[in-house]
Every structure is written in C-alpha cells, then in structure tokens.
Amino acid sequence: MALDSPTPIAPYDAPVKDLYAVGEMPPLGHVPKQMHAWAIRRERHGEPDKAMQLEVVDTPEIDSNEVLVLVMAAGVNYNGIWAGLGQPISPFDGHGAEYHIAGSDAAGVVWAVGDKVKRWKVGDEVVVHCNQDDGDDEECNGGDPMFSPTQRIWGYETPDGSFAQFTRVQSQQLMPRPRHLTWEESACYTLTLATAYRMLFGHEPHELKPGMNVLVWGASGGLGSFAIQLINAAGGNAIGVISDEDKREFVMDLGAKGVINRKDFKCWGQLPKVNTPEYKAWFAEARKFGKAIWDITGKGNNVDIVFEHPGEATFPVSTLVCKKGGMVVICAGTSGFNCTFDVRYLWMHQKRVQGSHFAHLKQASAANKLMLERRIDPCMSEVFPWAEIPQAHLKMYRNEHKPGNMSVLVQAPTTGLRTFEDALEAGPR
C-alpha cells in the first residue's frame, strides 16, 4: 500500500516573541525562550488534578543528537498518573529536575535539530516513541536497547514530556507521522501500540504465530485494542476479557474470536493460601474461567500467550490458564504490584513468565508502519482540550474512560485537523 507523501510546510507570517499563547504558532524554527506546560512538582504529588498545574517554564535546550518538537497533540497514558502520584516511584528520584512534565506520546513538527542530527529537518511531521538510551553500550550496538543500563522512558523518567508546547527528544525517537490521521489520532497510539507489539513479537521463541490463541486482559483499553488488532492481523485468535458488557461489541468488531466478561467469575485478587478452603473456592472459579476460554478455543485448548497488564488482580488466573510451555507476558500492574501464583503450575507445565517494557526503535517502527499502511486503527476514543489534561488523567485513574486511546490537544487548536496549515488557519492570531 502506498504511503502518504510528505509535503513541506508553506511559508507563513508570524511575530517573533519570547512566549506564545497555546495554539499560537511561532515562525517556523523560531524557539521562544519560554513555553506553557502542565508541570508536576514533588510537593504536589497526588491525584492528577492536584499534581498537574499550569506553569510557564523555560523551553528546553537541545544537545547535538537531540530534536525540539512543537507538540500538536499528545496521548494520555497511565504513566502520567503514576508521575503525578509519585508511584511506584517518583520521577524526581530518577531525573532530579525541579519540575516534571509528563506525557510519553506526541505528534508534532520538528522545530529545531542538533548539529549531529541527519535524518530529520525542521518542518518534518513526526510521532515520538518514548524509549531513550545513551546509545554507547553493547546492548545499544548489537543487542537489545531495552536492556541498556541507560534505558529510560521519556516523559516519565525524563522531565520533558509532551504536555507542553515544546518537547525535547532524542532524534532516534522520531518516526514519520501518518498523514491520513488527524493530529490527535496521530498522538494517541505509539506507546500502547509499540508496547503491545513487543509483548507479542519480541520475546523469542514465544512469538505470536498464525493459529495461536491469546488471552487479552483489558481488551477494550489502549493496550488491549492494539493487541486484538495485532493478533488478528497475524492470523492468531484473540480472546478478549472485558469488565462491562457495553464493551463486548467494540472488542468483537476489532477482530476478537470471542469475549469473556470477568464479572461473571469470582477468582480475582491475590492467590489464597494453597490447600485451604479459600483456595479450593478460588480454584473452582478459575476452572470455570478456563472453561469459558475452551468454549471459544475448543475443549482442552489453553491459550499460548496471556497478554497481561492488570497484575495483582489477574495474575494467579493468568498463570493457571496458560498452556503447557506457553508464556504469560506482563508490562504493567494497574490493579496492583503484588503478583501471586501457584508455582506448581509454572514449573510442572514449564510455563514462562516474561516481563516486557515498551519497545526499541526497530519494534516501534515496525508497529508504526502498520499504522502508516492503514492496517491498524488508532482506536481513539476521546479528545480533551489543553485545559483539561489533568481531568483526562483523572478519568483514566478512576477507570471512567471510554474504550480505546485518549488524546489531548496542545498546539492544535481544535480537532479534525490533518496538516500544519490547517492548525495555523484555525489558531489564534
């Protein structure tokens, strides 16, 4: 499928200033001294509406291999909530900066480049993947950059994320923006799509193959919606788990082979002590859940891969229903971090428990190519204006968000815009 061809930004007039209103465009390539940002400070750790406050801060200065991006729109992810809460760790314990700007997804325009940057130029429209590293160790040169001792997540372990007019990134974080998408659609998918891609294709020999059965927790969420699409595209069978019947049709429409409502079962939370009455009751419910899987896959066909991210509430069941020699792959713990399981079913059935953490550039690019070629839908559910960035995170924190991925506007003044010129025309004068 032919990709959309980039076109240069047409010349336009704009005043030179040290600070611009949100949505107001500086002259192409002009870097103002200051910018507007939603900032978190250590003393404000708490829920998003408390932790995130509007501030005027200095525009980041870039190094030789870095790029400054004018942020048109950004994505909402759970690490923005974690950054505000200061849990599981405070971002200040890592980067030590005075304030923290969250946001690990962005679509925007290259605004300035370091003197060693060769692949990108001012005016390029890009999306940003969130993995950073220093690039000078053996894992970054022939290994897996996600194993580098310098690996970090931009917008969580760095102080300069996407909830600001400008963001500073490494040039290797940039990928072409899908021109058929709006700015807000372009901004909502990279973190969850690339994370799902590595979970399913990045852990040899347990790579997703045609015909495999995969159990997907949170199938209607950002990660789950991409997992369903990737499994379907690869010829696998996705079994989606939901918590609300209203989400069943959404998940089936994405290509799931079947859907299970976890509220029909009572086997959630930490594992009861083995060989107690509580364990017996839990095991009976977990077997019922396993039978619901068989009703979709066929009797005796346990899942090859369990796509995990809730953690504490679901992990005991995940390790039980995974097939002999299969894999439980986990990338988060949104329901809690104290994961328990019956180890007998792990060692006797030779199952694998695999941690997975975002993706490196090659994996992120492979996932992004699927979006560029229109093989994957961004599944954008809601868009919030700049002023409601904390409320968007609060909605996610309370699990009140709609199925799919959430986006927020930054420099894009309104929804539905697909070019920089559209945003320029619609923005403040």
Side-chain angles (χ1 to χ4, degrees):
M1 184 179 293
L3 304 184
D4 298 298
S5 300
T7 55
I9 291 173
Y12 63 95
D13 293 323
V16 173
K17 298 193 294 186
D18 289 337
L19 178 67
Y20 293 83
V22 175
E24 183 183 9
M25 302 300 180
L28 183 63
H30 168 64
V31 179
K33 292 181 180 179
Q34 293 186 304
M35 64 179 185
H36 296 279
W38 284 98
I40 296 167
R41 293 183 182 267
R42 187 186 287 272
E43 62 270 19
R44 291 202 297 261
H45 272 324
E47 293 189 2
D49 56 337
K50 171 192 172 186
M52 296 179 177
Q53 299 291 328
L54 270 177
E55 296 189 25
V56 173
V57 299
D58 291 340
T59 304
E61 296 181 1
I62 59 173
D63 206 344
S64 58
N65 286 307
E66 293 179 332
V67 173
L68 190 71
V69 174
L70 179 80
V71 181
M72 300 298 288
V76 178
N77 296 291
Y78 213 88
N79 66 5
I81 296 167
W82 282 335
L85 294 171
Q87 298 175 354
I89 61 170
S90 170
F92 298 101
D93 293 337
H95 58 63
E98 185 180 349
Y99 56 85
H100 178 82
I101 300 170
S104 299
D105 261 327
V109 180
V110 172
W111 216 251
V113 298
D115 58 15
K116 292 183 179 178
V117 174
K118 305 300 181 186
R119 292 195 304 130
W120 305 100
K121 65 182 185 304
V122 172
D124 286 344
E125 296 184 6
V126 294
V127 293
V128 183
H129 81 72
C130 65
N131 182 57
Q132 288 192 357
D133 56 65
D134 290 349
D136 59 354
D137 58 71
E138 59 192 32
E139 290 293 353
C140 293
N141 295 275
D144 186 335
M146 294 306 297
F147 298 157
S148 168
T150 65
Q151 185 276 325
R152 54 195 178 270
I153 296 297
W154 159 75
Y156 185 63
E157 294 169 291
T158 76
D160 40 17
S162 58
F163 300 141
Q165 289 173 293
F166 293 94
T167 187
R168 173 178 55 196
V169 300
Q170 296 178 336
S171 64
Q172 61 86 16
Q173 290 180 252
L174 301 183
M175 302 181 296
R177 182 179 82 89
R179 298 299 186 100
H180 66 283
L181 300 180
T182 63
W183 288 108
E184 60 272 15
E185 288 171 330
S186 300
C188 76
Y189 69 83
T190 301
L191 185 149
T192 46
L193 175 58
T195 299
Y197 187 94
R198 180 179 173 93
M199 290 175 75
L200 294 169
F201 297 102
H203 302 292
E204 295 179 344
H206 293 84
E207 296 171 307
L208 177 63
K209 299 176 182 67
M212 280 188 171
N213 296 311
V214 184
L215 184 71
V216 179
W217 293 103
S220 66
L223 279 167
S225 61
F226 285 133
I228 298 290
Q229 292 186 81
L230 289 169
I231 295 161
N232 192 44
N237 303 308
I239 299 95
V241 184
I242 58 173
S243 58
D244 190 330
E245 277 300 316
D246 290 345
K247 300 173 181 177
R248 181 179 294 272
E249 184 178 357
F250 174 81
V251 175
M252 291 298 293
D253 287 346
L254 289 175
K257 184 175 182 179
V259 175
I260 301 170
N261 190 334
R262 66 176 175 84
K263 288 188 176 177
D264 294 338
F265 308 89
K266 298 177 182 178
C267 46
W268 314 123
Q270 291 189 348
L271 185 74
K273 184 175 177 60
V274 173
N275 295 332
T276 63
E278 292 79 11
Y279 177 87
K280 183 178 180 180
W282 172 86
F283 190 78
E285 281 292 306
R287 289 288 300 272
K288 283 172 58 180
F289 182 80
K291 182 182 181 302
I293 294 174
W294 286 4
D295 288 342
I296 299 168
T297 62
K299 186 175 181 180
N301 291 320
N302 291 331
V303 292
D304 298 89
I305 299 173
V306 180
F307 186 94
E308 252 281 1
H309 50 91
E312 186 172 312
T314 55
F315 206 74
V317 174
S318 293
T319 52
L320 180 69
V321 301
C322 184
K323 73 178 286 188
K324 193 170 187 177
M327 176 178 71
V328 178
V329 57
I330 184 167
C331 70
T334 53
S335 68
F337 310 122
N338 292 316
C339 291
T340 52
F341 57 92
D342 188 336
V343 74
R344 294 174 297 179
Y345 291 94
L346 193 72
W347 97 67
M348 292 292 289
H349 292 174
Q350 301 168 76
K351 302 176 185 181
R352 173 183 183 181
V353 174
Q354 174 67 52
S356 194
H357 188 47
F358 190 60
H360 53 60
L361 174 58
K362 189 169 184 178
Q363 292 164 339
S365 293
N368 193 55
K369 189 173 183 182
L370 293 172
M371 192 67 72
L372 289 167
E373 294 180 347
R374 311 185 190 203
R375 300 178 189 273
I376 297 286
D377 186 274
C379 290
M380 187 185 70
S381 58
E382 296 180 86
V383 186
F384 296 82
W386 165 259
E388 296 180 14
I389 285 178
Q391 284 68 36
H393 286 80
L394 193 62
K395 196 169 187 178
M396 178 177 280
Y397 179 57
R398 294 172 176 171
N399 199 27
E400 297 171 347
H401 54 301
K402 296 178 181 178
N405 294 283
M406 303 163 69
S407 191
V408 295
L409 301 179
V410 184
Q411 284 295 102
T414 187
T415 58
L417 308 177
R418 284 182 166 79
T419 68
F420 181 82
E421 286 79 9
D422 287 344
L424 191 66
E425 182 65 27
R429 298 291 180 179

